[in-house]
Amino acid sequence: MSEISLTPEQEDRARRLQWFREARFGMFVHWGLYSQIGRHEWVMNRERIPVSDYEKLARTWKPKPNAARDWARLAKKAGMRYMVMTTKHHEGFCLFNSELTDYCAPKRSPRRDLVAEYVDAARAEGLRVGFYYSMMDWHHPDGAACKHDEAARRRFVDYIHGQVGELCSNYGKIDIMWYDVSWPLNAKEWESAKMNAMVRQLQPDIIINDRSQLPEDFGTPEQHITPEKGGRAWEACMTFNESWGYTPIDTNYKNAWQVVSMLRTVAAGGGNLLLNIGPTPEGDVPPVCRRELLKVGKWLDSNGASIYAASDPMQQDWMITGAFTRKGNTLYYHCNRWPGTALAIGGLQNTVQSARLLNGKKLRFSQVRDRLVLKGLPAEAPDPLATVIEIEVEGTPRQVLGAGCVLIDDDPWRPA
Ligand code: GLC
């Protein structure tokens, strides 16, 4: 690596991001009044529910006490290292105690500060704490008018900045400020630079996402896993089914196999996965999410080395049997479609020194030109979620396949 000198600002960012770059896996939690309706967190907008009707949900929401403890325990068991919870979604209802509105959990039917409960729960499990906060607000009277009316803009921006200040002042150390939708203003109108300067003053170690219309510390690809360019930190946020808020009629859930595959993809690209759960209004985790997350956690218990610390970049090509993560000269091939007793990987440009099942037996192999064949594997996949094969190579690992084929006649393993 060449010597790169960082500006003090870049150095500070690198310091603040250090834990995040190694965290890999976090739990996103969408919970709010909409959870009672159970038709997506955009239900107020999608079904054009009048504000006066929607507000009634603040009289009937009675979450069970300390629901967040269960989420945090589950997150920990799943191998997650941090959590991000909606403190206020687009509906405008605040899960925290705010001096600036009475449309908030402690002053309505929940009668408690749900953000305080969440923060305590996450900390009790040693997880980092993130606050999701929607800048767009469908409940605030100035939330739309602010675009055309300067007095409304002034009031609304003061309200948003004020609440962000409350969140950064009242709950101790916060690790992530996770803004969302900034409709209808632009960065200048939001005074985003000023807001984020305040956040940093109150929380010197915090990292801030890119949704206040400023790039800040990390990118947030949503519902797709695409690395940011130039080594910038990033985190893909993904739903478990297709909704963020509790939506029992949306039953298309991801399974543990898919989650493990997403984890491998984020690790290979040096990013994180923020996987969402939408608890019921009471605060229960949908059973299928729990079941699949526990499987993922069990898998990470024995295969974590190939995910958490294995995020060195590597050129690779697609294979139907799996894909690589890498740490230095160690490759981890995550085989998630098991081919049987032999596994062939084409295109590897490096001499292989050894191969073994991660935490398991050494494997025989042949390598003729760029065809690597691993031999003597079990007939059935040792781990159906992904069996990791650890391969030591010489030089900087690279896999290049392209579209052409070469005939290899001198492969000693070639069947007669
Ligand atoms: C989108 C949606 C929102 C969700 C968010 C999560 O911005 O509007 O409902 O909370 O994505 O990233």
Side-chain angles (χ1 to χ4, degrees):
M1 278 266 274
S2 58
E3 285 281 313
I4 314 164
S5 61
L6 301 178
T7 64
E9 194 195 327
Q10 287 168 328
E11 227 167 74
D12 185 57
R13 171 164 294 153
R15 174 188 68 78
R16 287 182 291 105
L17 279 167
Q18 204 175 345
W19 73 266
F20 185 72
R21 288 193 184 271
E22 293 158 9
R24 202 65 69 223
F25 196 18
M27 176 184 275
F28 212 173
V29 180
H30 275 67
W31 204 37
L33 298 179
Y34 48 78
S35 310
Q36 294 176 87
I37 301 182
R39 287 192 302 276
H40 199 279
E41 73 288 353
W42 271 69
V43 64
M44 182 176 175
N45 163 285
R46 293 294 101 176
E47 300 186 9
R48 287 288 186 270
I49 304 176
V51 175
S52 54
D53 280 350
Y54 197 89
E55 276 181 340
K56 292 179 190 151
L57 295 166
R59 294 186 211 149
T60 51
W61 193 22
K62 294 203 164 56
K64 66 180 182 190
N66 294 308
R69 279 193 198 155
D70 183 42
W71 316 336
R73 283 191 202 119
L74 177 62
K76 177 81 180 207
K77 280 196 196 137
M80 291 161 157
R81 304 257 167 102
Y82 65 105
M83 298 178 74
V84 178
M85 187 186 74
T86 51
T87 62
K88 183 196 84 168
H89 203 266
H90 313 334
E91 65 179 9
F93 187 73
C94 301
L95 276 62
F96 56 101
N97 193 24
S98 178
E99 302 272 299
L100 305 171
T101 181
D102 65 357
Y103 199 50
C104 64
K107 300 180 197 170
R108 299 294 172 103
S109 58
R111 294 276 156 227
R112 326 191 299 276
D113 187 324
L114 301 173
V115 169
E117 289 185 5
Y118 153 70
V119 171
D120 289 348
R123 288 212 189 102
E125 297 301 322
L127 301 167
R128 299 269 184 166
V129 178
F131 284 167
Y132 166 108
Y133 181 80
S134 172
M135 297 169 73
M136 173 165 82
D137 192 315
W138 295 326
H139 179 264
H140 194 287
D142 299 319
C146 60
K147 188 67 188 167
H148 311 288
D149 172 344
E150 174 51 25
R153 187 196 69 84
R154 185 68 270 151
R155 284 192 300 267
F156 188 52
V157 167
D158 287 347
Y159 177 75
I160 297 296
H161 286 210
Q163 290 205 323
V164 169
E166 290 180 325
L167 287 169
C168 290
S169 306
N170 299 343
Y171 301 93
K173 185 165 180 280
I174 301 309
D175 300 292
I176 306 177
M177 180 51 71
W178 214 104
Y179 294 118
D180 196 19
V181 184
S182 54
W183 182 90
L185 303 178
N186 62 37
K188 195 163 165 257
E189 292 162 337
W190 277 118
E191 304 174 31
S192 296
K194 185 175 149 205
M195 177 170 69
N196 293 344
M198 165 191 71
V199 168
R200 293 195 191 294
Q201 215 208 325
L202 295 167
Q203 297 280 344
D205 296 329
I206 206 164
I207 58 172
I208 303 179
N209 78 350
D210 62 351
R211 296 196 181 184
S212 60
Q213 297 185 33
L214 294 175
E216 294 292 352
D217 298 316
F218 69 97
T220 54
E222 178 173 323
Q223 300 291 47
H224 60 94
I225 300 183
T226 313
E228 294 270 306
K229 298 208 168 63
R232 183 171 144 80
W234 61 278
E235 170 202 70
C237 52
M238 305 287 295
T239 48
F240 226 115
N241 49 4
E242 281 155 27
S243 316
W244 302 91
Y246 178 60
T247 305
I249 53 175
D250 172 4
T251 55
N252 191 16
Y253 285 100
K254 294 174 184 68
N255 58 35
W257 185 91
Q258 290 167 297
V259 176
V260 165
S261 166
M262 293 192 293
L263 282 171
R264 190 246 307 137
T265 309
V266 294
N272 289 350
L273 173 65
L274 184 64
L275 183 60
N276 183 72
I277 58 161
T280 65
E282 294 72 33
D284 294 320
V285 179
V288 29
C289 300
R290 173 182 306 279
R291 187 186 70 212
E292 298 307 303
L293 283 175
L294 291 175
K295 288 186 206 164
V296 173
K298 208 165 154 246
W299 184 89
L300 278 169
D301 279 345
S302 38
N303 297 286
S306 71
I307 294 288
Y308 297 112
S311 59
D312 290 342
M314 168 184 171
Q315 180 182 342
Q316 60 180 304
D317 217 320
W318 68 268
M319 299 288 297
I320 196 59
T321 50
F324 294 103
T325 60
R326 138 170 130 96
K327 184 182 170 64
N329 291 79
T330 306
L331 295 181
Y332 299 100
Y333 192 73
H334 291 228
C335 185
N336 60 3
R337 292 188 186 92
W338 193 252
T341 54
L343 166 68
I345 301 171
L348 201 58
Q349 305 295 303
N350 310 75
T351 303
V352 171
Q353 291 176 324
S354 66
R356 63 167 64 247
L357 293 171
L358 186 63
N359 315 314
K361 68 166 187 170
K362 262 190 105 123
L363 298 173
R364 288 179 293 134
F365 64 93
S366 75
Q367 193 178 24
V368 177
R369 294 196 204 112
D370 66 347
R371 173 171 159 85
L372 171 68
V373 184
L374 302 156
K375 289 275 185 167
L377 297 167
E380 300 294 327
D383 192 328
L385 297 186
T387 302
V388 180
I389 299 170
E390 189 181 337
I391 304 170
E392 293 294 329
V393 301
E394 283 172 13
T396 306
R398 224 157 58 93
Q399 184 197 25
V400 185
L401 279 159
C405 267
V406 273
L407 272 182
I408 298 179
D409 309 312
D410 48 355
D411 181 351
W413 296 106
R414 200 178 197 213

